Amino acid sequence: MKQTLGYLALPLLMAAAFATEVRADGETIAVFTKNQTNPFFQTVRVGADNMAKTLNAKTLQYIPTKPDSIPEQLSQIEDVVVKKPSAIVFTPVDYKAMVPGVEKINDAKIPVVNITDRSAGGKFLSFIGADDYSLGLDTARFLLKTLGGKGNIVIIEGVKGSLTNVDRVRGFNDALKENPGAKLLASQPGNYQRLQALQVMENLMQSNSQIDGVLAANDAMAVGAIEALDGANRKAQVIGINGTKEAIDAIKSGKLLASGDYNGFAQGCLGTMMAIRALREQPVIAEIVLKPTVITKDNYQPFDTPLEQRVCPTFEQASKLGTK
Amino acid sequence: MTDITKEALSPPRSFLSQDAIQLFYRLLAVFLICAVLAVLNDSFLSLGNILNVLRQASLTFFIASGLTLVVLTAGLDLSVGANVALSACVAGTVIHTTGSPVLGILTGLACGGIVGLLNGVMVTALRIPSFIATYGMLWVLNGLTYWYMGGETLHGFPVGFRQIGSGYLFGLPIPVYLLLVFLGIGTMFAQRTIWGQEIYAIGANPVAARLSGIPVTRRLLLVYAVSGTMAGLASIIFLSRLNSAEADIGESLTLPAIAAVLIGGTSLFGGVGTVFGTFIGALILTLVLNGMNLLSVSANWQPLVTGIIVILAVWLDMKTRRRT
């Protein structure tokens, strides 16, 4: 919270903060995330801080004040190029639009690791991320398995055209194709917002007397859909994506069937680890695509631990974590 | 002095009938939309769906009703959505920490009202154009809310409190009662009180209003405070309906509220429009989204259709309204 306070009083406070935060004995890693609103990026930031602390380095967090703002992240890149941190851990707010920004970092010869969303261009030491497609596919497969491969299904989509949504919804649809017994009733937009998802679900329930399963492209929408179902005294199996605390609570209480997670904490840890290892001329892993976890009532415990108490994977574990 | 004021304020008869004509066009539009949807989808005209639409329209209406008064004075409040977000987060925290929904509701209303009053102070005492003052306020509120929430989500509120947004009374959703109450109060206030008529006069011609003895500054402060308080009310409905609050809920609320005001026939140039028109505007927006959900219109086309409706409504309004 203290860090974010700095962003309220941009830019003077920030300059002051930099001056005091830089330490002589450790590297400074600038960590770029997409927004302050999605809890996922909070886990990324805590992971990055955690790893930096372990390795006696320091992080600086760069977060657009307006969520996912392309111009704001571009100007933050311009700032960072002037400030010259030892390395950068970078999540583009838009995988295509930020390529010129990445090229600026490359031109400034600052080593950079790409995490979460794969940039469409630029040179990176390494990529640590996950794959939204398999996240959608695995969660939807789990739902359909629970329903016995049949039933009436509804998809609630995120922001149309966003990379995460395109891939997740593609995964949902492919899982549906594997189950000819399942029928897709509607695929409607909730824009990752719970109110919109709630209203979409209320509307869909009017024209569909039987809905067995709901595939929501994020947890907030899944919870919105559950509220709508509860309000109408109806039941359906619902899945979300992101593994937020709210989703874990809903899984525990049996309201949510499952949530897909691609471990933002590990992404933050490993991104920072690779950046620092490169600076210390140790070998790095060029690409780790983390396997998604379908969090259910049988395996939620590790995700229920407070972020501060989680432990970063070691380099040896990292090499086994992902699919290449 | 009082006599002159009264005379200046009593609107000419033709002016009122002009509003009546506009309302007739809007009701016709609602009727046409309903007729088309009823033909295309069997469940559209069901009682359940009608109540569903009214409940969904209520949230937009609460925000838009206060906003209507601001627009009547030729102002704009771009911070309403961000105000809802902050008020919801603050009210939610109060309910969580004290366990008292009543305290939470009062805090939410007060928070919204104070923000509105600050907008009013910027517009009157500092003479900042409302568009810019409230745009600045939008950023301030977002910053505060993001910082305050730190990427977390509040969720899980008492069952009694949840009745406000999700409960029923004699078969009607409780938000629908609130909608009727505030529609009545808003219409009476604007059409039947001296204060209301003064607000029209300020929007029509602020200089003339001041010269005819209307306390313009105080009325403007009132109007912005009311708009803020209505945002506070919306935040309570949101909390109790969605059972949660997060920092980013505001963004998806502001534009529909402004659209409802404009579709409802209130002129951005001030002095012309009604609260009832705004209700119709909110209804049209909700009907269109409801219809698209029922007809499974692709996610790609939904924003486009909404945009066209807004443009069409404002264009028709300008075309049918005689310039005086």
Side-chain angles (χ1 to χ4, degrees), chain A residues 5-260:
Chain A
L5 185 63
Y7 288 88
L8 291 174
L10 280 170
L12 273 178
L13 271 183
M14 238 169 68
F18 290 150
T20 52
E21 276 186 31
V22 174
R23 282 168 43 152
D25 57 337
E27 298 90 340
T28 312
I29 312 297
V31 180
F32 281 74
T33 40
K34 287 163 80 166
N35 58 58
Q36 288 181 50
T37 50
N38 185 346
F40 172 82
F41 291 110
Q42 186 60 20
T43 66
V44 172
R45 291 188 283 268
V46 174
D49 288 347
N50 191 314
M51 179 52 79
K53 213 167 161 188
T54 319
L55 297 176
N56 196 28
K58 196 77 195 158
T59 59
L60 289 175
Q61 303 288 352
Y62 285 82
I63 315 158
T65 53
K66 188 177 182 308
D68 302 5
S69 163
I70 293 167
E72 208 175 333
Q73 192 174 62
L74 264 179
S75 72
Q76 286 181 338
I77 287 177
E78 279 157 13
D79 291 350
V80 100
V81 164
V82 175
K83 298 234 153 54
K84 277 227 167 245
S86 320
I88 295 174
V89 174
F90 187 74
T91 314
V93 291
D94 182 293
Y95 74 111
K96 280 184 199 152
M98 291 315 298
V99 172
V102 177
E103 283 163 355
K104 272 185 192 163
I105 298 173
N106 291 155
D107 290 345
K109 305 260 182 299
I110 303 171
V112 50
V113 174
N114 185 195
I115 61 167
T116 308
D117 288 352
R118 197 189 292 266
S119 171
K123 288 192 288 290
F124 293 97
L125 287 171
S126 121
F127 171 76
I128 317 286
D131 161 10
D132 281 294
Y133 171 76
S134 33
L135 205 56
L137 188 70
D138 288 4
T139 45
R141 274 179 179 162
F142 184 77
L143 176 101
L144 288 160
K145 204 178 108 199
T146 309
L147 291 176
K150 57 185 195 306
N152 291 335
I153 311 291
V154 160
I155 294 177
I156 305 182
E157 302 184 25
V159 173
K160 204 70 198 170
S162 70
L163 187 61
T164 51
N165 184 60
V166 171
D167 288 349
R168 287 173 194 180
V169 171
R170 196 160 52 87
F172 289 164
N173 279 311
D174 284 358
L176 282 168
K177 274 179 214 147
E178 297 169 352
N179 294 272
K183 185 174 171 233
L184 179 64
L185 295 176
S187 192
Q188 291 283 292
N191 294 321
Y192 289 138
Q193 296 282 335
R194 72 183 68 218
L195 174 66
Q196 289 175 39
L198 170 118
Q199 296 187 338
V200 163
M201 195 64 201
E202 284 177 343
N203 292 341
L204 293 177
M205 282 190 297
Q206 297 297 332
S207 53
N208 297 290
S209 53
Q210 183 65 40
I211 296 174
D212 304 300
V214 179
L215 297 161
N218 80 350
D219 286 338
M221 294 197 297
V223 174
I226 290 172
E227 290 301 333
L229 286 160
D230 279 358
N233 272 323
R234 284 171 63 167
K235 289 260 175 301
Q237 298 286 6
V238 182
I239 63 108
I241 284 178
N242 266 354
T244 58
K245 184 177 179 305
E246 190 181 13
I248 306 294
D249 289 349
I251 289 170
K252 273 199 279 189
S253 66
K255 283 182 171 276
L256 184 71
L257 177 67
S259 176

Side-chain angles (χ1 to χ4, degrees), chain B residues 309-321:
Chain B
I309 300 269
V310 173
I311 295 170
L312 212 62
V314 175
W315 175 71
L316 276 175
D317 189 53
M318 289 170 67
K319 211 166 156 58
T320 52
R321 198 184 289 278

Side-chain angles (χ1 to χ4, degrees), chain A residues 1 4 8 36-37 39 65 67 160 186 188-189 194-196 198-200 202-204 206-207 227 249, chain B residues 43 48-49 52 55-56 143 146-148 155 162 241-244 246 252 290 293-294 296-297 300 302:
Chain A
M1 273 205 184
T4 45
L8 291 174
Q36 288 181 50
T37 50
T65 53
K160 204 70 198 170
Q188 291 283 292
R194 72 183 68 218
L195 174 66
Q196 289 175 39
L198 170 118
Q199 296 187 338
V200 163
E202 284 177 343
N203 292 341
L204 293 177
Q206 297 297 332
S207 53
E227 290 301 333
D249 289 349
Chain B
S43 24
N49 194 47
N52 176 39
R55 182 168 60 183
Q56 291 185 3
Y146 294 156
W147 163 72
Y148 180 65
H155 61 103
R162 301 232 31 225
R241 191 145 134 72
L242 273 292
N243 200 20
S244 67
E246 58 197 327
S252 63
N290 174 265
N293 286 156
L294 292 189
S296 280
V297 174
N300 292 324
Q302 298 204 7

Side-chain angles (χ1 to χ4, degrees), chain B residues 26-97:
Chain B
R26 287 200 168 69
L27 289 170
L28 191 69
V30 170
F31 178 77
L32 283 177
I33 294 172
C34 289
V36 171
L37 290 176
V39 170
L40 293 176
N41 190 289
D42 292 342
S43 24
F44 175 75
L45 273 188
S46 68
L47 180 66
N49 194 47
I50 292 168
L51 294 181
N52 176 39
V53 165
L54 282 175
R55 182 168 60 183
Q56 291 185 3
S58 67
L59 193 66
T60 307
F61 172 74
F62 294 134
I63 308 173
S65 61
L67 185 63
T68 308
L69 300 182
V70 174
V71 178
L72 280 176
T73 67
L76 193 59
D77 185 348
L78 293 174
S79 69
V80 278
N83 194 354
V84 174
L86 178 68
S87 301
C89 293
V90 171
T93 315
V94 170
I95 296 175
H96 270 192
T97 47

